[in-house]
Amino acid sequence: MEDAALASEQDMTNTDTAAPESNTDTVGPDTAAPDTAAPAAAAEVAGSAHLLGFSDEILLHILSHVPSTDLVVNVRHVCRKLAALSLDKSLVHTVLLQKDYQASEDKVKQLVKVIGREIQQLSMAGCYWLSGVTIEHVARCHSLVKVNLSGCHLTSLRLSKVLSALQQLRSLALDVIPGFDASQLSSECRATLSRVQELKQTLFTPSYGVVPCCASLQKLLLYFEILDRTREGAVLSGQLMVGQSNVPHYQNLRVFYARLAPGYINQEVVRLYLAVLSDRTPENLHAFLISVPGSFAESGATKNLLESMARNVALDALQLPKSWLNGSSLLQHIKFNNPFYFSFSRCTLSGGHLIQRVINDGKDLRSLASLNLSGCVHCLSPDSLLRKAEDDIDSSILETLVASCCNLRHLNLSAAHHHSSEGLGRHLCHLLARLCHLRSLSLPVCSVADSAPRADRVPAQPAMHAVPRGFGKRVRIGVQTCPGPFAGQQPSSAFWSLLKNLPFLEHLELIGSNFSSAMPRNEPAIRNSLPPCSRAQNVGDSEVAAIGQLAFLQHLTLAQLPGILTGSGLVSIGLQCQQLQSLSLANLGMMGKVVYVPALSDMLKHCRQLKDLRLEQPYFNANAQFFQALSQCASLQRLCLVSRSGTLQPDAVLAFMARCLHVVMCHMFTGESLATCKSLQQSLLRSFQAERPALNVVIFPLLHEGLTDVIRDVPMVHLDEITLFKSRVAEEPPNLWW
């Protein structure tokens, strides 16, 4: 749309350079052109009424949705008015280049040359395709207060050169890669770091990074992505080599966050960071969060830290490893101020403990915005740890939770069996429907099933093809308005009622309680999977069709729904959820039978805003029909296909990539041979790499022993956001980083 509008502007302002005497910047009766130029003048007036006739305020709002590189490289050359507006302070003070996959080396250099001195906030997060030489141009942005360089290629020397020029810097995000040497940082660089108050540091090697240089830290975010072994198979050590100093400065710290990838070495390194905290807990600490997969044993130092926190601070956000909470009375002693985020993911927190120690027997927690209870199998049940998966939840516990945390915006209850009992208004969905402020929600599939199969439930009918007509209803061409999947009667399922009461939901996940992706982190592919919960059989096409009520839905995950028969509900989502940007589907229908491809193909034809698609399905045949439908997703940027024993058609993939010009990530892990995968990958890179600088292609056999080594080369922005499956609702506190 932007390109079309700008093309129109180009047409109407051609006379700016060809005939300056006509004064085309002014539109009105006093500037009528000669008769010979009447058609051009008429076109100009019409175009001006369409775009330039808007107020500057409206135009600035429109331009705020145009990538910064396009504003500088293209838009400002269209006409004088747009040239002035494109360089308005409101547009150039904050420049976001992350996911601007068309930002080539030359465009970024030109951007910095034109507006570099005006930029105060710059995010280049995940710009893995830009060279270190180009990143070095950031040093010209002398007014920078915030800069995000995560995912960028920077050596210690280049980092030193960039930071030495940024004397106003207060917020920094960067990667610490193998070969980092703090002794190479200049005195000017260290002076800049001494003033940094917010630091986000992603570690790919054992190191303190720049933390010892940051004496004014108030917010510290640490992401540990260190692999246990090198490519050659050598075991890495957690011994830190940081030059002159290895003592972090935590005295002013307000937020401490650490997220660990699997691996013992990440745990070893984070303990060294925590050791300093245990000596003296910062008085102003109000958020303490550690996200660890698996077990993370408590040590003497961490016990001292937790005891000190219980005595000296009041927290607003808390997340701890499950082994630190399980069986302890820690939650009874930690004080909370106005908590906005809790995560007890994978903890054996019982419903009784949740009410007594967290909610404080119904204490008002209206400040709580985000709650993660994923994997807490007992959190909605009484204290008995003998609960079986098929046992029903205690609805009074959930009722107390909903009443106390009435302003929740993000809630994650996935990876557990939350079965509701019979009783009017006691179903989990009916109780959650009271949380009218929810914007993201993750639930296990079995939790949305009705207590027992109902004879009056209406199966979803295949949605008819429809076309949009303005902002009104979609109307079938040449026939009467198409009835919805519930035409003729009011749907009666609890899940339908829940979604009706949450019309502004933007992120929804339905994930089977026993689901695990075939491609876990840093491990070989999983060959077998656990069977789905028996109650999940009752969640089928009708429930999926109900999701079509969510007009504002942007992100959808459906995983391990064995009750899917035809996938007809997917068509309803495609037709009605026009803002859908991210879609993740995994193991729909009975294992070994892929029956929903026709419905999926029909759905994709309507997903005009879809940017990310992740599809995980055994025995999936990625054929020409599938890629033909996918080609109609005009906005698609990233595709990930994971299919054990699946197949693909190389010619169809190449044709798809040729049609979808915005696709920059293509990951396919199937049952094809290594030779076939390598040949296709090379063909894709050879054909499209030159015109798509950010192109990242990985085609590889899913069950091949070399998969782990291939995965380690995938840019973190893709690996973390789409390639690896995980629940993302309430994964981190809201607004953790800008």
Side-chain angles (χ1 to χ4, degrees):
M1 180 181 71
E2 295 160 355
D3 293 340
L6 293 177
S8 175
E9 281 301 322
Q10 189 72 62
D11 292 340
M12 79 179 193
T13 55
N14 281 341
T15 53
D16 251 357
T17 55
E21 66 276 9
S22 66
N23 192 20
T24 57
D25 279 345
T26 305
V27 178
D30 294 335
T31 59
D35 292 340
T36 56
E44 178 179 348
V45 172
S48 176
H50 175 65
L51 184 60
L52 288 188
F54 291 132
S55 67
D56 287 357
E57 183 180 6
I58 293 177
L59 287 174
L60 285 172
H61 178 72
I62 294 173
L63 293 177
S64 69
H65 295 279
V66 179
S68 298
T69 51
D70 280 344
L71 288 177
V72 171
V73 176
N74 299 317
V75 179
R76 74 185 181 97
H77 296 298
V78 171
C79 68
R80 296 172 190 171
K81 184 171 185 177
L82 288 181
L85 291 176
S86 296
L87 301 182
D88 187 84
K89 290 183 178 180
S90 64
L91 298 179
V92 301
H93 275 194
T94 299
V95 173
L96 307 178
L97 296 181
Q98 77 269 23
K99 297 186 180 178
D100 181 2
Y101 299 117
Q102 303 305 315
S104 64
E105 306 263 355
D106 291 338
K107 287 183 178 180
V108 173
K109 291 176 182 177
Q110 189 173 350
L111 174 91
V112 173
K113 180 180 179 180
V114 175
I115 65 172
R117 292 185 177 276
E118 304 296 329
I119 303 175
Q120 295 184 0
Q121 300 184 57
L122 173 64
S123 177
M124 303 181 75
C127 292
Y128 54 87
W129 63 93
L130 298 178
S131 67
V133 174
T134 300
I135 303 297
E136 202 172 299
H137 281 65
V138 174
R140 302 181 182 182
C141 305
H142 299 298
S143 301
L144 275 179
V145 177
K146 293 185 174 183
V147 63
N148 190 337
L149 301 175
S150 298
C152 296
H153 300 290
L154 275 180
T155 62
S156 304
L157 289 174
R158 281 209 169 99
L159 177 66
S160 179
K161 182 177 180 179
V162 170
L163 296 185
S164 295
L166 307 181
Q167 299 180 11
Q168 307 300 320
L169 195 65
R170 297 296 181 270
S171 179
L172 171 65
L174 78 164
D175 292 350
V176 178
I177 60 177
F180 175 84
D181 185 356
S183 65
Q184 295 180 339
L185 303 180
S186 67
S187 57
E188 293 84 359
C189 172
R190 292 175 182 272
T192 296
L193 289 170
S194 70
R195 295 184 289 268
V196 168
Q197 298 174 355
E198 300 177 352
L199 176 64
K200 177 183 178 182
Q201 186 170 264
T202 303
L203 295 159
F204 294 93
T205 188
S207 173
Y208 280 116
V210 300
V211 172
C213 303
C214 302
S216 304
L217 277 182
Q218 296 183 16
K219 177 186 286 189
L220 177 60
L221 312 183
L222 299 169
Y223 292 78
F224 296 86
E225 299 289 343
I226 312 168
L227 295 174
D228 291 343
R229 294 178 179 271
T230 65
R231 294 181 185 277
E232 295 74 27
V235 178
L236 286 176
S237 168
Q239 180 66 34
L240 304 185
M241 304 296 293
V242 294
Q244 297 180 357
S245 174
N246 62 358
V247 180
H249 300 274
Y250 292 150
Q251 60 269 25
N252 299 317
L253 206 61
R254 294 175 56 82
V255 176
F256 181 89
Y257 176 86
R259 194 187 80 179
L260 283 66
Y264 78 91
I265 193 170
N266 290 310
Q267 298 186 11
E268 185 179 346
V269 175
V270 77
R271 289 187 190 279
L272 297 172
Y273 279 84
L274 293 173
V276 180
L277 270 178
S278 65
D279 292 337
R280 181 182 177 185
T281 306
E283 297 178 357
N284 295 321
L285 190 68
H286 74 94
F288 186 78
L289 308 116
I290 301 180
S291 174
V292 182
S295 179
F296 184 37
E298 196 174 16
S299 65
T302 55
K303 288 182 180 179
N304 293 337
L305 170 61
L306 296 176
E307 291 173 359
S308 177
M309 286 172 50
R311 291 192 306 267
N312 301 319
V313 300
L315 297 176
D316 295 333
L318 177 67
Q319 179 177 6
L320 295 176
K322 63 179 184 179
S323 56
W324 295 12
L325 286 175
N326 293 347
S328 73
S329 59
L330 177 64
L331 289 178
Q332 284 181 308
H333 303 295
I334 291 183
K335 296 183 288 292
F336 299 107
N337 188 16
N338 291 305
F340 62 88
Y341 178 79
F342 285 144
S343 177
F344 303 109
S345 179
R346 306 291 174 179
C347 295
T348 57
L349 185 69
S350 68
H353 289 164
L354 178 66
I355 298 300
Q356 296 168 14
R357 300 178 181 178
V358 180
I359 302 179
N360 198 12
D361 290 322
K363 178 184 177 182
D364 181 7
L365 284 179
R366 277 182 281 188
S367 61
L368 196 65
S370 185
L371 177 62
N372 190 339
L373 295 172
S374 64
C376 295
V377 296
H378 306 298
C379 68
L380 299 182
S381 301
D383 291 339
S384 174
L385 298 181
L386 301 178
R387 176 180 180 268
K388 299 179 181 179
E390 60 270 16
D391 292 344
D392 294 334
I393 64 172
D394 185 339
S395 58
S396 64
I397 294 174
L398 181 58
E399 197 163 10
T400 302
L401 174 67
V402 169
S404 302
C405 310
C406 57
N407 289 326
L408 273 178
R409 297 176 64 85
H410 315 283
L411 176 62
N412 194 327
L413 293 172
S414 64
H417 297 270
H418 296 316
H419 299 167
S420 299
S421 58
E422 295 282 358
L424 186 63
R426 311 298 287 177
H427 195 283
L428 176 141
C429 290
H430 292 143
L431 296 174
L432 293 183
R434 303 176 189 176
L435 296 173
C436 57
H437 299 288
L438 278 180
R439 294 298 178 267
S440 63
L441 177 64
S442 182
L443 295 173
V445 175
C446 57
S447 72
V448 306
D450 287 332
S451 303
R454 301 175 62 97
D456 59 343
R457 286 179 53 203
V458 182
Q461 301 297 322
M464 299 295 186
H465 294 277
V467 293
R469 187 178 63 181
F471 291 98
K473 297 180 179 179
R474 295 176 179 80
V475 179
R476 290 181 62 201
I477 299 175
V479 296
Q480 296 179 350
T481 302
C482 169
F486 301 107
Q489 56 181 301
Q490 185 80 354
S492 57
S493 74
F495 184 56
W496 187 92
S497 177
L498 168 65
L499 299 186
K500 179 184 178 182
N501 285 278
L502 301 177
F504 300 108
L505 203 65
E506 299 172 356
H507 190 161
L508 176 65
E509 296 178 347
L510 280 183
I511 304 175
S513 305
N514 295 330
F515 177 74
S516 59
S517 174
M519 198 168 68
R521 185 68 178 274
N522 298 341
E523 298 174 8
I526 296 177
R527 297 172 181 267
N528 299 309
S529 57
L530 295 174
C533 174
S534 58
R535 286 210 187 189
Q537 300 283 352
N538 299 328
V539 180
D541 295 315
S542 295
E543 283 72 21
V544 172
I547 298 173
Q549 299 176 86
L550 303 177
F552 297 95
L553 189 68
Q554 297 180 25
H555 309 281
L556 175 63
T557 296
L558 301 174
Q560 201 180 40
L561 277 75
I564 297 295
L565 298 179
T566 65
S568 57
L570 295 173
V571 186
S572 298
I573 296 173
L575 285 168
Q576 297 170 289
C577 302
Q578 288 294 298
Q579 296 189 32
L580 190 65
Q581 298 180 19
S582 174
L583 177 64
S584 177
L585 304 176
N587 292 12
L588 302 187
M590 299 300 293
M591 292 295 289
K593 297 181 180 180
V594 188
V595 297
Y596 63 91
V597 173
L600 175 62
S601 299
D602 205 4
M603 173 197 189
L604 292 174
K605 296 174 184 177
H606 308 288
C607 296
R608 300 300 183 184
Q609 302 301 319
L610 190 67
K611 295 181 179 180
D612 296 341
L613 174 63
R614 186 186 191 277
L615 182 59
E616 179 169 345
Q617 187 77 38
Y619 305 101
F620 188 84
N621 179 18
N623 56 20
Q625 176 195 2
F626 168 72
F627 282 110
Q628 179 66 37
L630 191 58
S631 298
Q632 300 186 52
C633 298
S635 301
L636 193 69
Q637 295 179 337
R638 301 192 290 185
L639 169 66
C640 180
L641 175 62
V642 180
S643 180
R644 178 168 50 85
S645 302
T647 60
L648 55 83
Q649 294 182 8
D651 291 344
V653 178
L654 287 165
F656 155 73
M657 290 291 288
R659 287 191 295 264
C660 288
L661 305 180
H662 299 296
V663 174
V664 294
M665 191 209 90
C666 181
H667 291 180
M668 297 185 184
F669 307 95
T670 65
E672 296 287 357
S673 68
L674 181 61
T676 299
C677 292
K678 283 188 173 182
S679 175
L680 177 57
Q681 179 172 318
Q682 292 171 359
S683 296
L684 290 172
L685 292 173
R686 185 170 53 250
S687 301
F688 306 107
Q689 182 82 71
E691 60 193 41
R692 306 181 198 184
L695 184 64
N696 181 255
V697 178
V698 180
I699 316 290
F700 205 76
L702 178 62
L703 299 181
H704 193 278
E705 59 184 6
L707 178 64
T708 303
D709 291 333
V710 170
I711 289 297
R712 70 190 300 167
D713 292 328
V714 174
M716 186 56 61
V717 63
H718 298 323
L719 188 66
D720 190 57
E721 293 182 1
I722 183 170
T723 306
L724 297 177
F725 182 94
K726 63 178 176 179
S727 175
R728 305 177 194 281
V729 172
E731 180 185 17
E732 294 180 340
N735 305 317
L736 183 62
W737 195 254
W738 60 283

